[in-house]
Amino acid sequence: MRSIPAALAVSLCACNYSVMDIASVPDNPTYAHDVRPLLSDHCLVCHSSPPDRGAPSYFRLDVYPDTNGVTGAGNMAVTLLHDVTIKKMPPGVGSTEGVGPNGAAMLQKWVDNGAPE
Ligand code: HEC
């Protein structure tokens, strides 16, 4: 039996839901243009409406405003940055890159700028 080439084997093993880091940190990140796509790649599988995989239902990250008593991403900005920074979220980042260094820096800049929509 032929063995698969090493490079192919490596790419096949990158089999979790995390994606590569974003290329650069935007100057003035907004939720709609920059942050939501990042959250979509790393968070929304659990933190949408309805929440999935045991995620809490008091907040959702797929929309910016609070809706029907459910806190939106705008008012979760500081908390979500915190959880990403301490590598609590996304779950299991001990063995992966999480949102990546540029992704984390972008979230930090977004919060520093007041988490604009
Ligand atoms: C695989 C599902 C899953 C993914 C992906 C995920 N989360 Fe979570 N998240 C959870 C669960 C489950 C909890 C509740 C855990 C707990 O309370 O300890 C939670 C809780 C949270 C909380 C509230 C916890 C607190 O400290 O009050 C925040 C904020 C959060 N997640 C942000 C994020 C962000 C930002 C991402 C993406 C970078 C993300 N999560 C990705 C499942 C997920």
Side-chain angles (χ1 to χ4, degrees), residues 63-91:
V63 292
Y64 185 90
D66 297 354
T67 47
N68 301 322
V70 177
T71 306
N75 282 325
M76 287 302 290
V78 171
T79 307
L80 78 83
L81 172 65
H82 176 256
D83 282 12
V84 167
T85 304
I86 66 171
K87 297 195 183 297
K88 180 178 176 185
M89 289 289 148

Short mmCIF file of all heavy atoms in Angstrom, two decimals, residues 63-91:
data_model
loop_
_atom_site.label_atom_id
_atom_site.label_comp_id
_atom_site.label_asym_id
_atom_site.label_seq_id
_atom_site.Cartn_x
_atom_site.Cartn_y
_atom_site.Cartn_z
N VAL A 63 -25.93 38.71 16.33
CA VAL A 63 -26.50 40.02 16.09
C VAL A 63 -25.85 41.02 17.05
O VAL A 63 -25.40 40.64 18.13
CB VAL A 63 -28.04 40.04 16.27
CG1 VAL A 63 -28.71 39.21 15.18
CG2 VAL A 63 -28.43 39.55 17.65
N TYR A 64 -25.87 42.29 16.65
CA TYR A 64 -25.23 43.32 17.49
C TYR A 64 -26.14 43.81 18.62
O TYR A 64 -25.72 43.89 19.77
CB TYR A 64 -24.79 44.49 16.61
CG TYR A 64 -24.02 45.55 17.36
CD1 TYR A 64 -22.63 45.48 17.47
CD2 TYR A 64 -24.69 46.62 17.97
CE1 TYR A 64 -21.92 46.44 18.17
CE2 TYR A 64 -23.98 47.59 18.66
CZ TYR A 64 -22.60 47.49 18.76
OH TYR A 64 -21.91 48.45 19.45
N PRO A 65 -27.40 44.16 18.31
CA PRO A 65 -28.24 44.74 19.38
C PRO A 65 -28.82 43.67 20.30
O PRO A 65 -28.89 42.48 19.94
CB PRO A 65 -29.37 45.43 18.60
CG PRO A 65 -29.45 44.70 17.30
CD PRO A 65 -28.10 44.15 17.01
N ASP A 66 -29.25 44.11 21.46
CA ASP A 66 -30.04 43.24 22.33
C ASP A 66 -31.40 43.03 21.67
O ASP A 66 -31.96 43.95 21.08
CB ASP A 66 -30.24 43.88 23.70
CG ASP A 66 -28.93 44.10 24.45
OD1 ASP A 66 -27.88 43.65 23.94
OD2 ASP A 66 -28.97 44.71 25.52
N THR A 67 -31.91 41.81 21.75
CA THR A 67 -33.22 41.52 21.14
C THR A 67 -34.03 40.66 22.10
O THR A 67 -33.55 39.62 22.56
CB THR A 67 -33.07 40.75 19.81
OG1 THR A 67 -32.15 39.68 19.99
CG2 THR A 67 -32.59 41.65 18.69
N ASN A 68 -35.26 41.09 22.37
CA ASN A 68 -36.18 40.31 23.20
C ASN A 68 -35.55 39.83 24.50
O ASN A 68 -35.72 38.67 24.89
CB ASN A 68 -36.71 39.09 22.41
CG ASN A 68 -37.43 39.50 21.14
OD1 ASN A 68 -38.14 40.50 21.13
ND2 ASN A 68 -37.25 38.75 20.07
N GLY A 69 -34.82 40.71 25.15
CA GLY A 69 -34.22 40.35 26.43
C GLY A 69 -32.96 39.52 26.33
O GLY A 69 -32.38 39.14 27.35
N VAL A 70 -32.53 39.21 25.10
CA VAL A 70 -31.28 38.46 24.91
C VAL A 70 -30.18 39.45 24.55
O VAL A 70 -30.32 40.23 23.61
CB VAL A 70 -31.44 37.39 23.81
CG1 VAL A 70 -30.12 36.66 23.57
CG2 VAL A 70 -32.55 36.41 24.18
N THR A 71 -29.11 39.45 25.30
CA THR A 71 -28.01 40.39 25.08
C THR A 71 -27.31 40.08 23.75
O THR A 71 -27.00 38.93 23.46
CB THR A 71 -26.99 40.29 26.23
OG1 THR A 71 -27.69 40.48 27.46
CG2 THR A 71 -25.91 41.34 26.10
N GLY A 72 -27.07 41.11 22.97
CA GLY A 72 -26.39 40.96 21.68
C GLY A 72 -24.89 41.15 21.80
O GLY A 72 -24.35 41.42 22.88
N ALA A 73 -24.21 41.01 20.67
CA ALA A 73 -22.74 41.07 20.66
C ALA A 73 -22.22 42.42 21.14
O ALA A 73 -21.15 42.49 21.75
CB ALA A 73 -22.23 40.78 19.25
N GLY A 74 -22.97 43.51 20.88
CA GLY A 74 -22.49 44.82 21.30
C GLY A 74 -22.26 44.90 22.80
O GLY A 74 -21.21 45.33 23.26
N ASN A 75 -23.26 44.45 23.55
CA ASN A 75 -23.12 44.50 25.01
C ASN A 75 -22.36 43.31 25.59
O ASN A 75 -22.11 43.26 26.79
CB ASN A 75 -24.51 44.61 25.65
CG ASN A 75 -25.05 46.02 25.56
OD1 ASN A 75 -24.30 46.99 25.65
ND2 ASN A 75 -26.35 46.15 25.35
N MET A 76 -21.97 42.38 24.74
CA MET A 76 -21.11 41.27 25.19
C MET A 76 -19.64 41.52 24.86
O MET A 76 -18.79 40.68 25.15
CB MET A 76 -21.55 39.95 24.55
CG MET A 76 -22.83 39.36 25.08
SD MET A 76 -22.80 39.03 26.85
CE MET A 76 -21.66 37.64 26.93
N ALA A 77 -19.34 42.67 24.24
CA ALA A 77 -18.01 42.89 23.68
C ALA A 77 -16.91 42.68 24.72
O ALA A 77 -15.94 41.95 24.49
CB ALA A 77 -17.93 44.29 23.08
N VAL A 78 -17.04 43.33 25.88
CA VAL A 78 -15.98 43.24 26.89
C VAL A 78 -15.85 41.81 27.41
O VAL A 78 -14.74 41.29 27.56
CB VAL A 78 -16.26 44.23 28.04
CG1 VAL A 78 -15.30 44.01 29.19
CG2 VAL A 78 -16.16 45.67 27.53
N THR A 79 -16.99 41.17 27.63
CA THR A 79 -16.96 39.80 28.15
C THR A 79 -16.37 38.82 27.14
O THR A 79 -15.57 37.95 27.49
CB THR A 79 -18.39 39.35 28.53
OG1 THR A 79 -18.95 40.31 29.41
CG2 THR A 79 -18.36 38.00 29.22
N LEU A 80 -16.77 38.98 25.89
CA LEU A 80 -16.25 38.03 24.89
C LEU A 80 -14.76 38.23 24.67
O LEU A 80 -14.01 37.25 24.50
CB LEU A 80 -17.07 38.08 23.60
CG LEU A 80 -16.89 39.19 22.56
CD1 LEU A 80 -15.73 38.94 21.63
CD2 LEU A 80 -18.17 39.34 21.75
N LEU A 81 -14.31 39.49 24.70
CA LEU A 81 -12.87 39.74 24.59
C LEU A 81 -12.14 39.07 25.75
O LEU A 81 -11.10 38.43 25.56
CB LEU A 81 -12.58 41.24 24.58
CG LEU A 81 -11.10 41.62 24.67
CD1 LEU A 81 -10.34 41.15 23.44
CD2 LEU A 81 -10.93 43.13 24.87
N HIS A 82 -12.69 39.23 26.94
CA HIS A 82 -12.07 38.63 28.11
C HIS A 82 -11.94 37.12 27.95
O HIS A 82 -10.88 36.54 28.20
CB HIS A 82 -12.90 38.97 29.36
CG HIS A 82 -12.40 38.32 30.61
ND1 HIS A 82 -13.02 37.22 31.17
CD2 HIS A 82 -11.33 38.58 31.39
CE1 HIS A 82 -12.35 36.84 32.25
NE2 HIS A 82 -11.32 37.66 32.40
N ASP A 83 -13.03 36.47 27.54
CA ASP A 83 -13.00 35.01 27.43
C ASP A 83 -12.04 34.53 26.35
O ASP A 83 -11.42 33.48 26.48
CB ASP A 83 -14.42 34.47 27.18
CG ASP A 83 -15.25 34.43 28.46
OD1 ASP A 83 -14.80 35.02 29.47
OD2 ASP A 83 -16.32 33.81 28.46
N VAL A 84 -11.91 35.32 25.27
CA VAL A 84 -10.94 34.97 24.23
C VAL A 84 -9.52 35.17 24.76
O VAL A 84 -8.64 34.35 24.55
CB VAL A 84 -11.18 35.82 22.96
CG1 VAL A 84 -10.01 35.70 21.99
CG2 VAL A 84 -12.48 35.39 22.27
N THR A 85 -9.32 36.27 25.51
CA THR A 85 -7.98 36.59 26.00
C THR A 85 -7.47 35.55 26.98
O THR A 85 -6.29 35.17 26.94
CB THR A 85 -7.99 37.98 26.68
OG1 THR A 85 -8.49 38.94 25.75
CG2 THR A 85 -6.59 38.38 27.13
N ILE A 86 -8.34 35.07 27.84
CA ILE A 86 -7.91 34.05 28.80
C ILE A 86 -8.01 32.64 28.21
O ILE A 86 -7.80 31.65 28.91
CB ILE A 86 -8.70 34.13 30.12
CG1 ILE A 86 -10.18 33.78 29.91
CG2 ILE A 86 -8.54 35.50 30.78
CD1 ILE A 86 -10.97 33.64 31.21
N LYS A 87 -8.34 32.58 26.92
CA LYS A 87 -8.44 31.31 26.18
C LYS A 87 -9.48 30.37 26.76
O LYS A 87 -9.35 29.15 26.72
CB LYS A 87 -7.07 30.63 26.07
CG LYS A 87 -6.05 31.44 25.29
CD LYS A 87 -4.86 30.60 24.89
CE LYS A 87 -3.79 31.41 24.15
NZ LYS A 87 -4.27 31.97 22.89
N LYS A 88 -10.53 30.98 27.32
CA LYS A 88 -11.68 30.17 27.73
C LYS A 88 -12.56 29.85 26.51
O LYS A 88 -13.18 28.80 26.43
CB LYS A 88 -12.49 30.92 28.79
CG LYS A 88 -13.72 30.17 29.29
CD LYS A 88 -14.45 30.96 30.38
CE LYS A 88 -15.73 30.26 30.80
NZ LYS A 88 -16.51 31.07 31.77
N MET A 89 -12.59 30.80 25.56
CA MET A 89 -13.40 30.66 24.35
C MET A 89 -12.53 30.95 23.13
O MET A 89 -11.72 31.87 23.16
CB MET A 89 -14.59 31.63 24.39
CG MET A 89 -15.66 31.25 25.39
SD MET A 89 -16.55 29.78 24.84
CE MET A 89 -16.95 29.03 26.43
N PRO A 90 -12.74 30.26 22.00
CA PRO A 90 -13.62 29.11 21.88
C PRO A 90 -13.10 27.94 22.69
O PRO A 90 -11.89 27.88 22.96
CB PRO A 90 -13.61 28.80 20.38
CG PRO A 90 -12.31 29.36 19.89
CD PRO A 90 -12.03 30.55 20.74
N PRO A 91 -13.97 27.01 23.07
CA PRO A 91 -13.54 25.90 23.91
C PRO A 91 -12.46 25.08 23.23
O PRO A 91 -12.44 24.93 22.02
CB PRO A 91 -14.81 25.05 24.07
CG PRO A 91 -15.93 25.96 23.74
CD PRO A 91 -15.40 26.93 22.73
#
